Amino acid sequence: MMSDVKPDGRYSERLLMGPGPSNVSARVREAIARPLLGHLDPDFLSLMSEIQELLRQVFLTSNRLTLPVSGTGSAGMEAALVNFLEPDDSVLVGVHGVFGQRMAEVARRCRARVEVVEAPFGQPLDLDELRSAARKSNPRVVAVVHAETSTGVLTPLEPVRRICDETGSLLLVDAVTSLAGLPLRIDDWGLDIAYSGTQKCLSCPPGLAPLTVSQRAAERLANRKSRVQSWYLDLSMVQNYWGSERTYHHTAPISMNYALLAALQEAVEEGLEERWRRHERNHLALVAGIEAMGLRMYVQPKFRLWSLNTVTIPEGVDDERVRARLLRDFNLEIGGGLGSLKGRVWRVGLMGESSRMRNVLYFLHGLERALAAEGFHCPPGGGVQAAATS
Ligand code: PLP
């Protein structure tokens, strides 16, 4: 049996290079252990303000309505959709992976009229198709996943904004695997609603969903005809807690907010652009290594995510055995494919703290060994050499 408990009863630190969560720093881990404060304690209230200010800095926005939703990334997704869709509203969802599918499903549960533009898993959305669908249905909201974690494919957001401008639609973006790992500019790109998760490029444990809402979208929210179907995620109430009133709505997950504050401080201290560049550098090194080993990336270069790399599993190699060997012999997690990509790709995360050159080299070495056990032989050390000199 594989276990993360060492013989002395302590825990070993798994190297998390899957689709998230990523590893967290000692500073974030220590932050969680801070003594609790009450959720209306003046010290906690000022910590909330700090979090909001830092969230604005990493989202690159001046949006007033910027806060961490209590819950994982899916809570961010639900909050984004339930607050900005009313029954019978038209919404256009770009689907090219599991998380686009999930957005469409949540939108259906809002009783919206959902239209979907689909691309095969591994391919980018066809923007011409998205444009003509938008022109036809004039949707109230266009929703896309910026970084599809299930496939490793990027959706360029500026062209989607131009489509929304033609039709007067709000642009709603899933930024779960992009925030703090690859360029995301809420204000410059005119994104109306964006949500993320803490456990990816922010390198915080799962449990909060940073969310930001433009003034234009906040006005739509204020002018809704019907009540938001979810009491817990109703932003008009949640923002009374996170806004100047600081009125109790629900008990904030205090320790998670400590962790988020520390993670945001680290991101801002590193510098957002420098952090993006680090993700890019390590992604490119990984690609160089993968290709030198005679393997192939699944996604075409222009649309590859720096945070999540999909690698085609070579013919005759067993997906699960390789992942189990990496876990057992190298204490290293990578992800398998989701949906139609199950058994066809590995998903290698290089997110936040996990995006380090030493991790790239260690993974390539481990993969070479795991592949050799499968009878797939790469040039010895070739992957590591190519990554190190990329
Ligand atoms: N959206 C994307 C792009 C994701 O990658 C994920 C999780 O991996 C989610 C939404 C859902 O987030 P969570 O699993 O934290 O609820």
Side-chain angles (χ1 to χ4, degrees):
M1 256 293 277
M2 183 62 212
S3 167
D4 66 337
V5 185
K6 294 201 252 183
D8 62 3
R10 298 171 74 87
Y11 295 97
S12 73
E13 188 168 2
R14 191 89 83 220
L15 179 52
L16 298 175
M17 296 179 70
S22 56
N23 288 105
V24 306
S25 68
R27 179 166 161 191
V28 168
R29 219 165 37 206
E30 281 157 20
I32 300 171
R34 267 177 73 168
L36 282 187
L37 288 169
H39 56 286
L40 293 172
D41 186 297
D43 286 352
F44 188 70
L45 299 183
S46 64
L47 184 143
M48 289 164 68
S49 303
E50 263 185 271
I51 288 177
Q52 286 177 290
E53 194 36 51
L54 290 169
L55 275 180
R56 289 186 190 104
Q57 289 183 38
V58 296
F59 269 127
L60 291 173
T61 185
S62 58
N63 288 340
R64 254 173 66 84
L65 182 42
T66 300
L67 52 83
V69 173
S70 301
T72 64
S74 304
M77 183 189 288
E78 293 244 19
L81 289 160
V82 296
N83 282 280
F84 300 97
L85 288 178
E86 297 196 55
D88 236 23
D89 277 349
S90 153
V91 53
L92 177 62
V93 186
V95 175
H96 57 137
V98 166
F99 296 104
Q101 288 174 336
R102 187 177 296 183
M103 283 212 286
E105 176 56 19
V106 175
R108 281 184 205 105
R109 290 173 186 224
C110 298
R111 301 208 179 81
R113 284 183 287 121
V114 181
E115 209 188 323
V116 157
V117 164
E118 280 184 275
F121 281 26
Q123 300 287 323
L125 290 174
D126 181 332
L127 295 177
D128 290 333
E129 227 183 291
L130 196 73
R131 184 179 301 103
S132 36
R135 282 179 181 162
K136 235 183 265 162
S137 62
N138 265 313
R140 189 172 177 84
V141 173
V142 173
V144 293
V145 179
H146 187 207
E148 227 330 325
T149 328
S150 64
T151 62
V153 174
L154 179 79
T155 301
L157 296 174
E158 289 168 282
V160 183
R161 176 69 256 171
R162 288 195 284 276
I163 295 172
C164 292
D165 285 341
E166 274 188 43
T167 53
S169 314
L170 292 177
L171 175 49
L172 189 162
V173 172
D174 178 315
V176 169
T177 292
S178 56
L179 180 66
L182 44 144
L184 172 72
R185 300 177 183 277
I186 299 295
D187 286 0
D188 286 356
W189 295 350
L191 314 185
D192 289 298
I193 304 131
Y195 61 87
S196 189
T198 41
Q199 76 272 29
K200 310 271 184 176
C201 302
L202 277 174
S203 271
C204 198
L208 292 173
L211 174 105
T212 189
V213 174
S214 71
Q215 187 54 32
R216 168 171 52 191
E219 280 159 20
R220 290 259 189 112
L221 178 63
N223 293 321
R224 278 179 69 106
K225 293 195 280 300
S226 60
R227 279 199 188 168
V228 173
Q229 75 190 52
S230 164
W231 182 89
Y232 192 65
L233 297 174
D234 183 341
L235 288 176
S236 60
M237 295 194 293
V238 174
Q239 72 180 340
N240 289 337
Y241 178 49
W242 282 90
S244 48
E245 297 83 1
R246 295 287 199 246
T247 314
Y248 164 72
H249 175 258
H250 64 274
T251 310
I254 307 293
S255 307
M256 274 307 305
N257 278 287
Y258 293 156
L260 177 58
L261 177 62
L264 288 167
Q265 285 167 337
E266 284 190 327
V268 167
E269 284 164 17
E270 180 175 4
L272 202 50
E273 306 241 354
E274 178 48 42
R275 194 175 176 93
W276 295 341
R277 274 196 295 278
R278 169 164 64 84
H279 282 76
E280 181 184 27
R281 267 196 313 273
N282 293 331
H283 156 75
L284 291 174
L286 181 90
V287 172
I290 286 293
E291 291 177 345
M293 289 167 73
L295 302 170
R296 282 186 305 111
M297 298 295 290
Y298 193 72
V299 175
Q300 50 182 299
K302 193 171 156 205
F303 296 101
R304 284 178 194 157
L305 300 178
W306 302 339
S307 45
L308 193 284
N309 302 270
T310 30
V311 178
T312 306
I313 300 175
E315 203 69 38
V317 169
D318 187 90
D319 166 25
E320 285 182 19
R321 264 203 311 262
V322 168
R323 285 190 285 125
R325 188 174 289 274
L326 288 173
L327 203 59
R328 189 190 66 214
D329 296 349
F330 294 89
N331 204 13
L332 188 167
E333 177 193 79
I334 62 165
L338 277 188
S340 59
L341 296 186
K342 189 170 165 43
R344 294 170 56 199
V345 298
W346 289 306
R347 292 182 302 148
V348 185
L350 287 173
M351 302 178 185
E353 277 300 300
S354 299
S355 175
R356 302 284 171 200
M357 180 59 90
R358 62 176 180 272
N359 294 347
V360 172
L361 302 181
Y362 183 68
F363 161 70
L364 291 169
H365 169 69
L367 184 64
E368 183 187 318
R369 299 279 293 273
L371 286 171
E374 290 287 306
F376 184 97
H377 295 283
C378 315
V384 169
Q385 173 73 17
T389 54
S390 66

